[in-house]
Amino acid sequence: MPLLEVQHLRVEYAADRPAVAVDDVSFTVGEGEFVGVVGESGCGKSTLLFALARLLSPPAEITGGSVEFRGRNLVTMTEKQLSLLRWRDFSVVMQSAMNALNPVASVGAQFADALTAHGRFTKAEIAERSVEVLRLVGIDPIHLRSHPHQLSGGMRQRAMIAMALLFTPDLVIMDEPTSALDVVAQRALMVQIRQLQSQLGFAVVFVTHDMSLVSHFSDQLLVMYAGQVVEAGPTRTVFDRPAHPYSRGLLDAFPSVRGPRVPLTGIPGSPPDLSRPTAGCRFQPRCPVALPECATTRPPLYQVGSAHSRCLLNAPAPEEVKS
Ligand SMILES: Nc1ncnc2c1ncn2[C@@H]1O[C@H](COP(=O)(O)OP(=O)(O)OP(=O)(O)O)[C@@H](O)[C@H]1O
Ligand SMILES: [Mg+2]
């Protein structure tokens, strides 16, 4: 049984212009696996992560599918059942630590709150664990007395990660935990997350805009476009042989870190309005290799070697279907 199994997940924003921000998303996360989620702004990455952790609030709502964590469906759990799992078995690090940390409480007080809300600990145990997790992320335990504004951006992100590790969960869900940092600090934090992961053995679902980060750190890659998974597979495979034109565009849009300098072609245009879905492939209006039928046919996910791609060009040839 995989650690996390997401099937046909659907999330809608029921605003004045209803939008399906996560549309029929399925993927699995194995024990200790690092899954990277990439895609342009607005394609539904944060909504997907919030849905996995059951942290969505109105107008967003899960309207279909399941999220099984160790075989138990989080989508149908009550808040009470969820609170027994959240933080202890899986935890979340969100896009901005400044929004997630309480500005008027010290780091130590926030750790103590999280620990006492989800378990029974003595004062000594709380102190011991708090020091331990701060050391894990390379922060001097003296900062348990600091308030968030007294820490640098990088330290705040580390403190958030420390908080997510208080109970040594099996899964840590991270939404661009390094995006507020400069490139050097980003690298350092990523290396640290990866080290912690191999040391403690937790799995990670990681959203980022940075293709070079995922290329170095993730095992599996999920490429999202307009609320859908358009390509999924082992990271190396997707980087070496991207099957979907959107993945190719995304990769071309990022300079290779070590390779020769190439002109950035990027992807002209912008993602579609999710409140007005079109009849065919969602990428068709921007696709450099679209066929006439792409405007009218919605492609399913086709298997391409060890990966999957939502592109009609990846449909098996008719003779392959027969055999
Ligand atoms: N509060 C909201 N009300 C209505 N629609 C929303 C709301 N928040 C998000 N959406 C819709 O959901 C889509 C996905 O948003 P989401 O924040 O998940 O994207 P993202 O991939 O995380 O983007 P980014 O890379 O900028 O963080 C948006 O394009 C928008 O259509
Ligand atoms: Mg986001």
Side-chain angles (χ1 to χ4, degrees), residues 1-7 9 27-29 52 65-77 85 90 171:
M1 183 196 299
L3 178 64
L4 190 78
E5 179 154 27
V6 180
Q7 285 188 319
L9 191 65
F27 66 100
T28 59
V29 183
L52 297 184
S66 59
V67 178
E68 290 197 354
F69 182 82
R70 293 203 184 289
R72 298 171 67 197
N73 189 358
L74 302 181
V75 172
T76 53
M77 275 189 194
L85 295 181
F90 69 88
L171 172 68

Coordinates of all heavy atoms in Angstrom, one line a residue, residues 1-7 9 27-29 52 65-77 85 90 171:
M1 N 0.9 -1.2 0.0 CA 0.0 0.0 0.0 C 0.9 1.2 0.0 O 1.8 1.4 0.8 CB -0.9 0.0 1.3 CG -1.8 1.1 1.4 SD -2.5 1.3 3.1 CE -3.3 -0.3 3.3
P2 N 0.7 2.2 -0.9 CA 1.5 3.4 -0.9 C 1.1 4.2 0.3 O 0.0 4.1 0.9 CB 1.1 4.2 -2.2 CG -0.3 3.6 -2.6 CD -0.3 2.2 -2.0
L3 N 2.0 5.1 0.7 CA 1.8 6.0 1.9 C 0.6 6.9 1.6 O -0.3 7.0 2.4 CB 3.0 6.8 2.1 CG 3.0 7.8 3.3 CD1 2.8 7.1 4.6 CD2 4.2 8.7 3.3
L4 N 0.6 7.5 0.4 CA -0.5 8.4 0.1 C -1.0 8.0 -1.3 O -0.2 7.8 -2.2 CB 0.0 9.8 0.0 CG -1.1 10.9 -0.1 CD1 -1.8 11.1 1.2 CD2 -0.5 12.2 -0.6
E5 N -2.3 7.8 -1.4 CA -2.9 7.5 -2.8 C -4.0 8.5 -3.1 O -5.1 8.5 -2.4 CB -3.4 6.1 -2.8 CG -4.0 5.7 -4.1 CD -4.0 4.2 -4.4 OE1 -3.9 3.4 -3.5 OE2 -4.0 3.9 -5.6
V6 N -3.8 9.3 -4.1 CA -4.8 10.3 -4.4 C -5.5 9.9 -5.7 O -4.8 9.5 -6.7 CB -4.1 11.7 -4.7 CG1 -5.1 12.8 -5.1 CG2 -3.3 12.1 -3.5
Q7 N -6.8 9.8 -5.7 CA -7.5 9.3 -6.8 C -8.6 10.3 -7.2 O -9.5 10.6 -6.4 CB -8.1 7.9 -6.5 CG -7.0 6.9 -6.6 CD -7.6 5.5 -6.5 OE1 -8.5 5.2 -5.7 NE2 -7.0 4.6 -7.3
L9 N -9.0 13.3 -7.6 CA -9.3 14.5 -6.7 C -9.8 15.7 -7.5 O -9.3 16.0 -8.6 CB -8.1 14.8 -5.9 CG -8.3 15.8 -4.8 CD1 -9.2 15.2 -3.7 CD2 -7.0 16.2 -4.2
F27 N -2.4 10.5 -8.1 CA -1.0 10.1 -8.0 C -0.8 9.4 -6.7 O -1.6 9.4 -5.8 CB -0.1 11.3 -8.2 CG -0.2 12.3 -7.0 CD1 0.8 12.3 -6.0 CD2 -1.2 13.3 -7.0 CE1 0.7 13.3 -5.0 CE2 -1.3 14.2 -5.9 CZ -0.3 14.2 -4.9
T28 N 0.4 8.7 -6.6 CA 0.7 8.1 -5.3 C 2.1 8.5 -4.8 O 2.9 9.0 -5.6 CB 0.7 6.5 -5.5 OG1 1.7 6.2 -6.5 CG2 -0.6 6.0 -5.9
V29 N 2.2 8.4 -3.5 CA 3.5 8.8 -2.9 C 3.9 7.6 -2.1 O 3.2 7.1 -1.2 CB 3.4 10.0 -2.0 CG1 4.7 10.4 -1.4 CG2 2.8 11.2 -2.7
L52 N -5.0 18.1 -0.1 CA -4.4 16.8 0.5 C -4.4 16.9 2.0 O -4.6 15.9 2.7 CB -2.9 16.7 0.0 CG -2.6 16.6 -1.4 CD1 -1.1 16.3 -1.7 CD2 -3.4 15.4 -2.0
G65 N -13.4 12.5 -5.6 CA -12.2 11.8 -5.4 C -11.8 11.5 -4.0 O -12.6 11.8 -3.1
S66 N -10.7 10.9 -3.8 CA -10.2 10.5 -2.5 C -8.8 10.7 -2.3 O -8.0 10.8 -3.2 CB -10.5 9.0 -2.3 OG -9.9 8.2 -3.3
V67 N -8.4 10.9 -1.0 CA -7.0 11.0 -0.6 C -6.8 10.0 0.5 O -7.2 10.2 1.6 CB -6.7 12.5 -0.1 CG1 -5.2 12.6 0.4 CG2 -7.0 13.5 -1.1
E68 N -6.2 8.9 0.1 CA -6.0 7.8 1.1 C -4.6 7.9 1.7 O -3.6 7.9 1.0 CB -6.2 6.5 0.5 CG -7.7 6.3 0.2 CD -8.1 4.8 0.0 OE1 -7.2 4.0 0.0 OE2 -9.3 4.6 -0.1
F69 N -4.6 8.1 3.0 CA -3.3 8.1 3.8 C -3.2 6.8 4.5 O -4.1 6.6 5.4 CB -3.3 9.3 4.7 CG -2.0 9.5 5.5 CD1 -0.9 10.1 4.9 CD2 -1.9 9.0 6.8 CE1 0.3 10.2 5.6 CE2 -0.7 9.1 7.5 CZ 0.4 9.7 6.9
R70 N -2.2 6.0 4.2 CA -2.2 4.6 4.8 C -3.5 3.9 4.7 O -4.0 3.3 5.7 CB -1.7 4.7 6.2 CG -0.3 5.2 6.4 CD 0.3 4.7 7.7 NE 1.6 5.2 8.0 CZ 2.7 4.8 7.3 NH1 2.6 3.9 6.4 NH2 3.8 5.3 7.6
G71 N -4.2 4.1 3.6 CA -5.5 3.4 3.4 C -6.7 4.0 4.0 O -7.8 3.5 3.8
R72 N -6.5 5.2 4.7 CA -7.7 5.8 5.2 C -8.0 7.1 4.5 O -7.1 7.9 4.3 CB -7.4 6.2 6.7 CG -7.2 4.9 7.6 CD -6.8 5.3 8.9 NE -7.8 6.0 9.7 CZ -7.6 6.7 10.8 NH1 -6.4 6.8 11.2 NH2 -8.6 7.3 11.4
N73 N -9.2 7.3 4.1 CA -9.6 8.4 3.2 C -9.8 9.7 4.0 O -10.7 9.8 4.8 CB -10.9 8.1 2.5 CG -11.3 9.1 1.5 OD1 -10.5 10.1 1.3 ND2 -12.4 8.9 0.8
L74 N -8.8 10.6 3.8 CA -8.9 11.9 4.5 C -10.1 12.7 4.2 O -10.5 13.5 5.0 CB -7.6 12.7 4.3 CG -6.2 12.1 4.6 CD1 -5.1 13.0 4.3 CD2 -6.2 11.7 6.1
V75 N -10.6 12.5 2.9 CA -11.6 13.4 2.4 C -12.9 13.2 3.2 O -13.7 14.2 3.4 CB -11.9 13.1 0.9 CG1 -13.1 13.9 0.4 CG2 -10.7 13.5 0.1
T76 N -13.2 12.0 3.7 CA -14.4 11.8 4.4 C -14.2 11.8 6.0 O -15.2 11.5 6.7 CB -15.0 10.4 4.0 OG1 -14.0 9.4 4.2 CG2 -15.5 10.4 2.6
M77 N -13.0 12.1 6.4 CA -12.8 12.2 7.9 C -13.4 13.4 8.5 O -13.5 14.4 7.9 CB -11.3 12.2 8.2 CG -10.7 10.8 8.2 SD -9.0 10.9 8.8 CE -8.4 9.3 8.3
L85 N -4.3 13.0 13.1 CA -3.3 12.6 12.1 C -2.4 13.8 11.7 O -1.2 13.7 11.5 CB -4.0 12.1 10.8 CG -4.7 10.8 10.8 CD1 -5.3 10.5 9.5 CD2 -3.8 9.7 11.3
F90 N 1.1 13.5 9.3 CA 1.6 14.3 8.2 C 1.5 15.7 8.6 O 0.7 16.1 9.5 CB 0.7 14.1 6.9 CG -0.7 14.5 7.1 CD1 -1.1 15.9 6.7 CD2 -1.7 13.7 7.5 CE1 -2.4 16.3 6.8 CE2 -3.1 14.1 7.6 CZ -3.4 15.5 7.3
L171 N 4.9 12.0 6.4 CA 4.7 12.8 5.2 C 4.8 14.3 5.5 O 4.1 14.7 6.5 CB 3.4 12.5 4.5 CG 2.9 13.3 3.3 CD1 3.8 13.1 2.1 CD2 1.5 13.0 3.0

